[in-house]
Amino acid sequence: MSSGQQGSVPGRRSVLRGSLAASAALALPAVGAAPALALSGRPRAEWGVQTGDVDAHSGLVWVRSDRPARMIVETSASESFRRTHTWHGPLLGPGSDFTGTTRLRGLPAGEQIHYRVTLADPEDPRRTGRPITGTFRTAPERRHQDVRFVWSGDIAGQGWGINPELGGYRVFEEMRRRHPDFFLCSGDTVYADGPLQPTVTLPDGRIWRNVTTEEKAKVAETLAEFRGTFRYNLLDENLRRFNAEVPSIVQWDDHEVRNNWYPGQTLDDVRYTEKNVDVLAARARQAFGEYFPISTLPGGRDEGRVHRVVRHGPLLDVFVLDMRTYRNANSPNRQTDDPVGILGAEQLAWLKRELSRSRAVWKVIASDMPLGLVVADGAVNFEAVAQGDPGAPLGRELQIAELLRYIKHQRITGTLWLTADVHYTSAQHYDPSRAAFKDFAPFWEFVSGPLAAGGFPAVKLDGTFGPEQSFVKAPTRANVSPAESPQYFGEVDIDGGSGELTVRLREDTGAVLFTKVLQPGRVGQ
């Protein structure tokens, strides 16, 4: 373990030249300037482009039009686009809020792919808008190629939105400079339950100024309001530039719908006229699938799921969990039998099966909530896995105990847990020698965030699985603004030669706060 040492950017990464960055930036609106919805002319793609769920030979490309249009994607090995392959995508219309994704297949492994998206008038294909360009790197097929990715979560929460006076979401620019192969967004991608005010007075008298929109003036209830909430973050030019160069793997948590929600919940929040959280969740899920390129949620349709495996070559598989859709109700969490838990029985079986099938050196379990951190929901209920009782597993801990036992007995190597949610950064090592439940192999859990939200004090640890906190950095009071406290992201490097995995917890300036190096081929670390 060491701190304060920054890793160098691997030389094998293709550093984008100015022409690509300039073309992406010029085609997009400035921070706070909503794209004009012109009534005539050619289709325009002013919300940028994104790629998602990229593996060795495929990936998804996303765009939004300002009117009905046909999506056309061209790919090339160079940004000159001298030789291209054309992909004819979907017709974008009001049914998907004019968003759409095109799946690219048959791509070369471990290569930089340049792409451009053109929108064509469906009535006259010769009438096209200005192409928007981007790039991404496919996963390697051979182990010798290094892997780097970043992760974090929590965007535009607690009343802190895009502040042009602070440069907007600056942390995305810092993450872009690290040239990651992909970005793992660990949930709370938006705050549908968090309206934004034009100004907020900070404790020291300074004024925080938010970019505001009509949809962000209240909690999201209608499909249009949820769509507007997801659209809001794309007003930030740092995020759009990042999206054009870094593929994403996205999961959701609670704030895409409403704070601490669970299926079957009836709200007593006076801000909502729609009290059935299942209705709200269905609308949020549709908008979520429309505004992110997710392979298992095509076009935002009801069928499909959030949990999935994204395989990034022989060194890494990412297991994306969904701790919202299948969980039981929040409660004191002390029941002695809990077959539903936080994952649901089917998702738990899926996770066991996929972990057993994985041949990757490292298996990142992307969890939208932490395991041993005590996250409360009111005075007596609990929101995550732990409930503060350091004894034998109870409630949702029973399901996690079953999973950890399975990993040990199946001798599944190279697992580590990455999460966000609690709005600070920390590193926890779990060890049976310190635990009430002992039938598991040691493992690490790393927490990072928020990206652009309020910071909160550290919560307590639950001793059931024996966590020991090696590092924590958190504010001392609740809801500290991004103007007063750093925002955080994590970075993971996997060495293609040795297989070593290095985790760095970073501030939004890029400064390294904590470093941990893990060795491959072990059941526990």
Side-chain angles (χ1 to χ4, degrees):
M1 180 181 69
S2 63
S3 62
Q5 297 179 354
Q6 294 194 24
S8 60
V9 178
R12 62 90 178 159
R13 286 181 171 79
S14 174
V15 179
L16 299 177
R17 295 189 287 274
S19 59
L20 174 60
S23 65
L26 288 172
L28 303 171
V31 171
L37 298 179
L39 298 178
S40 61
R42 300 169 185 267
R44 302 171 69 180
E46 293 189 314
W47 299 93
V49 287
Q50 301 179 60
T51 52
D53 288 8
V54 172
D55 58 26
H57 297 291
S58 68
L60 294 171
V61 176
W62 175 98
V63 76
R64 183 179 190 263
S65 178
D66 67 342
R67 71 196 71 204
R70 175 69 64 182
M71 180 181 180
I72 302 168
V73 182
E74 296 171 278
T75 60
S76 177
S78 69
E79 59 184 321
S80 67
F81 289 94
R82 287 192 179 93
R83 298 181 63 183
T84 63
H85 184 93
T86 301
W87 312 78
H88 294 280
L91 180 65
L92 313 182
S96 64
D97 202 27
F98 304 97
T99 68
T101 60
T102 297
R103 180 179 286 278
L104 312 182
R105 301 181 187 273
L107 301 173
E111 298 292 337
Q112 199 74 31
I113 307 296
H114 297 268
Y115 68 94
R116 61 188 176 196
V117 179
T118 302
L119 299 178
D121 187 326
E123 301 298 327
D124 183 359
R126 295 169 299 177
R127 292 180 56 81
T128 60
R130 181 177 181 177
I132 307 297
T133 58
T135 189
F136 61 92
R137 188 177 184 87
T138 53
E141 272 191 332
R142 298 182 179 180
R143 176 172 164 161
H144 72 273
Q145 288 184 275
D146 301 344
V147 174
R148 166 175 289 176
F149 69 94
V150 293
W151 94 91
S152 190
D154 314 303
I155 307 170
Q158 291 74 46
W160 316 112
I162 302 168
N163 185 341
E165 294 178 357
L166 267 67
Y169 298 157
R170 296 173 298 177
V171 66
F172 282 99
E173 178 61 15
E174 184 57 42
M175 291 195 296
R176 186 187 70 86
R177 291 173 181 166
R178 302 300 305 158
H179 303 293
D181 293 300
F182 65 90
F183 167 54
L184 170 61
C185 191
S186 302
D188 292 342
T189 58
V190 299
Y191 279 71
D193 59 338
L196 296 176
Q197 300 299 318
T199 61
V200 182
T201 302
L202 302 179
D204 62 5
R206 287 182 294 163
I207 302 299
W208 174 283
R209 302 184 190 280
N210 283 316
V211 171
T212 57
T213 64
E214 179 181 351
E215 294 90 349
K216 287 296 295 176
K218 64 179 291 292
V219 296
E221 298 181 84
T222 67
L223 178 57
E225 289 167 349
F226 279 108
R227 286 168 166 171
T229 295
F230 282 95
R231 202 159 50 240
Y232 175 82
N233 287 335
L234 295 175
L235 292 171
D236 181 76
E237 58 188 329
N238 300 297
L239 177 54
R240 294 194 307 269
R241 188 182 303 112
F242 180 83
N243 284 344
E245 299 182 20
V246 182
S248 62
I249 299 175
V250 181
Q251 64 190 140
W252 74 347
D253 192 33
D254 56 335
H255 289 287
E256 285 83 359
V257 181
R258 193 256 187 190
N259 186 45
N260 295 356
W261 75 275
Y262 51 83
Q265 184 181 22
T266 300
L267 303 181
D268 59 1
D269 189 331
V270 297
R271 300 177 301 168
Y272 288 85
T273 56
E274 176 56 70
K275 304 295 186 180
N276 185 340
V277 80
D278 290 349
V279 172
L280 297 174
R283 293 167 181 168
R285 179 189 177 95
Q286 178 173 340
F288 178 73
E290 290 170 347
Y291 274 85
F292 291 110
I294 297 172
S295 56
T296 52
L297 280 177
R301 296 194 298 268
D302 288 339
E303 67 266 23
R305 63 180 192 268
V306 174
H307 64 278
R308 61 200 188 279
V309 184
V310 181
R311 306 193 188 279
H312 199 82
L315 286 174
L316 176 65
D317 282 346
V318 180
F319 299 83
V320 182
L321 303 188
D322 179 357
M323 291 181 158
R324 284 289 149 194
T325 304
Y326 312 103
R327 65 162 54 198
N328 52 19
N330 290 355
S331 72
N333 200 25
R334 284 176 165 79
Q335 56 269 35
T336 57
D337 182 49
D338 191 355
V340 175
I342 200 166
L343 295 173
E346 288 188 12
Q347 186 178 188
L348 176 61
W350 163 86
L351 180 56
K352 288 179 179 179
R353 183 172 63 250
E354 293 299 332
L355 283 168
S356 293
R357 290 175 176 174
S358 175
R359 296 297 177 263
V361 176
W362 292 100
K363 303 160 188 69
V364 165
I365 301 176
S367 174
D368 46 298
M369 302 211 75
L371 297 185
L373 278 60
V374 181
V375 184
D377 180 16
V380 298
N381 294 336
F382 292 90
E383 158 71 349
V385 175
Q387 78 293 85
D389 183 333
L394 295 170
R396 293 169 178 163
E397 292 172 335
L398 292 164
Q399 194 174 63
I400 300 304
E402 181 181 344
L403 174 62
L404 296 179
R405 182 190 297 114
Y406 181 85
I407 290 171
K408 174 188 173 182
H409 287 266
Q410 294 296 313
R411 300 196 59 78
I412 297 170
T413 61
T415 60
L416 72 154
W417 294 68
L418 301 182
T419 188
D421 184 68
V422 289
H423 295 235
Y424 60 84
T425 186
S426 68
Q428 291 81 231
H429 184 247
Y430 293 78
D431 194 296
S433 67
R434 298 186 295 263
F437 174 76
K438 296 184 178 298
D439 195 10
F440 71 99
F443 66 95
W444 281 88
E445 174 188 56
F446 298 95
V447 179
S448 191
L451 284 168
F456 283 80
V459 299
K460 295 180 180 180
L461 295 179
D462 183 311
T464 297
F465 300 117
E468 181 177 79
Q469 206 151 56
S470 298
F471 173 80
V472 61
K473 185 173 183 182
T476 56
R477 60 179 174 85
N479 198 17
V480 177
S481 77
E484 304 165 90
S485 178
Q487 306 293 277
Y488 302 109
F489 68 96
E491 178 183 72
V492 175
D493 277 299
I494 307 176
D495 184 87
S498 66
E500 282 187 345
L501 182 146
T502 301
V503 178
R504 296 181 180 90
L505 302 179
R506 292 181 180 267
E507 290 186 350
D508 51 11
T509 62
V512 175
L513 305 173
F514 174 84
T515 301
K516 181 65 185 178
V517 179
L518 303 179
Q519 300 301 320
R522 298 183 181 178
V523 177
Q525 291 282 338

